[in-house]
Amino acid sequence: MIERVFREEHGRAVAVLVRVFGDVDVAEEAVQEAFAEAVRRWPDEGTPASPAGWIITTARNKAIDRLRREAARAGKYAQAVLVNAAEPVEASVVEDDRLRLIFTCCHPALRMEARVALTLRLLGGLSTAEIARAFLVPEKTMAQRLVRAKAKIRDAGIPYRVPEKEELPGRLAGVLAVVYLVFNQGYGGREESGAEAIRLGRVLRELMPDEPEVLGLLALMLLVESRKDARRRDGELVLLAEQDRGLWDRELVEEGQALVRRCLRIGRPGPYQIQAAVNAVHGDAANAEDTRWDQVLQLYDQLMVVAPSPVVALNRAVAVGEVQGAGAALELVERLKLGRYYLFHAVRADLLRRLGRDAEAAGAYGEAMRRTEDEAELAFLRRRRASVSG
């Protein structure tokens, strides 16, 4: 129970306390202390009627106690005393506390990687190791980035405030990256993170209804989320080509495709719109055999121009494999430097399997297994490796 409350409410609690106290370290440490208190008390006293309210109230009280003890921080103490009277209400174009926290963390003075990582840490409560996996970097590297980001905020006096309306476009790229990485955590098993990301995406659409990349990101998340119930079967991952499309949520598919069509009318394509269009092509197909892989490949060609990356190149290689054959795709995959990424090894293994190079395929499946902890993915990879191991 406490673990679920942590996943669902950590970000909300930190966001509220950052707004109240204006100090990210005070907020984060107080929330951590509140959850530690919950671990000690809830098993004996029972779960409170409002777990989120209990955590926020307890964290607020612990922050006040901490600030009172630190006499040298008189300004923070004075601010803390005000909490007992009334929590300040902030008028802004961004009314949602968690969305406010995303925007404030995405300050232009911070490097893009730091903006995204810091927000994932504060908003989603992700561990340093989880964030490191999302960025495909060592945990130590990510820990250093987080420390530097907090130091930059402190030393530069970056305010934790809501940006004005004219500032929003300059913060948008970082915000969209954060929301998408939060969504990907849900795709990897944190279902509440996926739902939270979609909720934030809808808030962003209300905030910036004519921004095509906002629409594109929401469309992308909806189209991917529509396949959630078909993605796993009997504890094992099910590839897109093998999914029961009757399990897809057609309402989400239709909503996502409608957003893609709206993006096309606007005519300012960007990375999220193109990725949404790829998923819309899959949504159009009644079955795997009907998928227009030529369209998918054209879209990945466009994405490689707009936002090239090794991961995009890997996905493009998959499309090449469907259009030109496994041999052509393998040539592209072998050029990529994605050794830390389990999907690189999984894609390579599948191409080797299709080419009849079973021993090499078995080795590649093994490499993929060593780079994922997801049980459904591991079950799929074990079965595939067994199929080529004789």
Side-chain angles (χ1 to χ4, degrees):
M1 175 63 181
I2 295 176
E3 182 180 354
R4 179 179 63 79
V5 174
F6 180 86
R7 292 196 305 266
E8 295 177 355
E9 304 297 343
H10 178 277
R12 185 200 306 267
V14 171
V16 169
L17 267 68
V18 167
R19 174 163 56 87
V20 171
F21 292 101
D23 189 306
V24 64
D25 285 323
V26 168
E28 187 178 17
E29 290 177 18
V31 170
Q32 290 173 347
E33 290 178 8
F35 275 105
E37 185 76 9
V39 170
R40 289 191 295 269
R41 292 175 53 181
W42 290 7
D44 294 330
E45 299 178 7
T47 304
S50 174
W54 189 98
I55 290 294
I56 291 172
T57 300
T58 301
R60 182 186 301 165
N61 292 338
K62 287 185 176 295
I64 293 171
D65 291 342
R66 173 188 169 184
L67 294 171
R68 283 173 175 161
R69 290 194 302 268
E70 298 178 5
R73 301 174 70 172
K76 291 293 191 299
Y77 169 71
Q79 186 178 18
V81 172
L82 292 176
V83 177
N84 289 327
E87 186 174 310
V89 178
E90 200 171 78
S92 168
V93 293
V94 184
E95 296 298 333
D96 184 278
D97 271 332
R98 285 165 288 187
L99 193 59
R100 177 186 291 112
L101 181 57
I102 292 178
F103 271 108
T104 53
C105 284
C106 293
H107 193 280
L110 298 174
R111 292 171 59 90
M112 179 63 74
E113 297 90 343
R115 299 180 207 176
V116 177
L118 184 61
T119 310
L120 285 173
R121 173 67 179 165
L122 300 180
L123 184 84
L126 273 63
S127 69
T128 302
E130 288 174 316
I131 301 172
R133 284 197 294 272
F135 278 85
L136 305 180
V137 299
E139 183 176 349
K140 182 178 179 180
T141 300
M142 183 51 63
Q144 292 171 342
R145 287 184 186 176
L146 290 168
V147 169
R148 286 196 297 268
K150 291 183 180 181
K152 175 74 171 180
I153 289 168
R154 181 186 64 247
D155 297 341
I158 294 173
Y160 276 82
R161 66 172 180 81
V162 178
E164 300 298 331
K165 189 171 184 178
E166 60 270 16
E167 295 177 289
L168 293 179
R171 305 279 184 94
L172 186 59
V175 171
L176 295 180
V178 167
V179 173
Y180 191 39
L181 279 174
V182 171
F183 178 75
N184 283 334
Q185 288 294 320
Y187 185 87
R190 286 173 170 255
E191 292 188 6
E192 67 286 342
S193 294
E196 171 70 1
I198 290 175
R199 188 190 69 79
L200 290 171
R202 294 190 188 281
V203 173
L204 276 171
R205 180 182 58 180
E206 293 176 6
L207 182 69
M208 307 177 76
D210 298 319
E211 173 51 56
E213 277 292 82
V214 170
L215 303 178
L217 175 59
L218 180 57
L220 172 61
M221 294 189 295
L222 292 171
L223 290 165
V224 173
E225 183 72 4
S226 71
R227 304 194 290 268
K228 180 180 67 175
D229 291 341
R231 197 172 293 127
R232 300 185 183 211
R233 182 172 55 239
D234 299 327
E236 183 176 320
L237 178 71
V238 181
L239 297 182
L240 178 61
E242 300 170 1
Q243 288 177 10
D244 178 357
R245 301 190 177 210
L247 297 176
W248 290 6
D249 186 324
R250 297 311 304 182
E251 288 187 8
L252 292 182
V253 171
E254 291 170 6
E255 183 181 1
Q257 290 180 328
L259 287 170
V260 170
R261 290 192 292 272
R262 184 175 172 191
C263 290
L264 290 173
R265 290 194 294 271
I266 293 174
R268 286 189 282 127
Y272 294 112
Q273 297 172 71
I274 297 171
Q275 292 175 77
V278 168
N279 282 273
V281 172
H282 289 298
D284 279 335
N287 51 61
E289 290 73 23
D290 290 340
T291 302
R292 291 292 308 275
W293 282 103
D294 57 331
Q295 292 182 359
V296 173
L297 181 55
Q298 289 173 7
L299 288 166
Y300 275 121
D301 287 342
Q302 187 177 9
L303 189 57
M304 283 295 293
V305 173
V306 173
S309 76
V311 173
V312 172
L314 180 65
N315 285 312
R316 179 182 179 277
V318 172
V320 168
E322 297 297 328
V323 175
Q324 302 175 16
L330 185 61
E331 287 185 19
L332 298 174
V333 169
E334 298 286 20
R335 301 173 191 168
L336 301 176
K337 296 180 180 180
L338 284 170
R340 294 181 180 273
Y341 192 32
Y342 102 90
L343 279 177
F344 165 78
H345 298 284
V347 169
R348 182 171 178 272
D350 185 65
L351 295 171
L352 290 166
R353 178 186 61 82
R354 288 165 57 183
L355 291 169
R357 295 161 60 175
D358 289 356
E360 293 173 85
Y365 281 124
E367 288 293 330
M369 290 170 61
R370 283 187 280 276
R371 288 169 172 80
T372 182
E373 298 176 358
D374 185 280
E375 289 300 326
E377 293 168 354
L378 285 169
F380 168 80
L381 293 168
R382 288 191 195 101
R383 182 170 61 81
R384 280 294 176 92
R385 185 175 65 174
S387 73
V388 295
S389 296

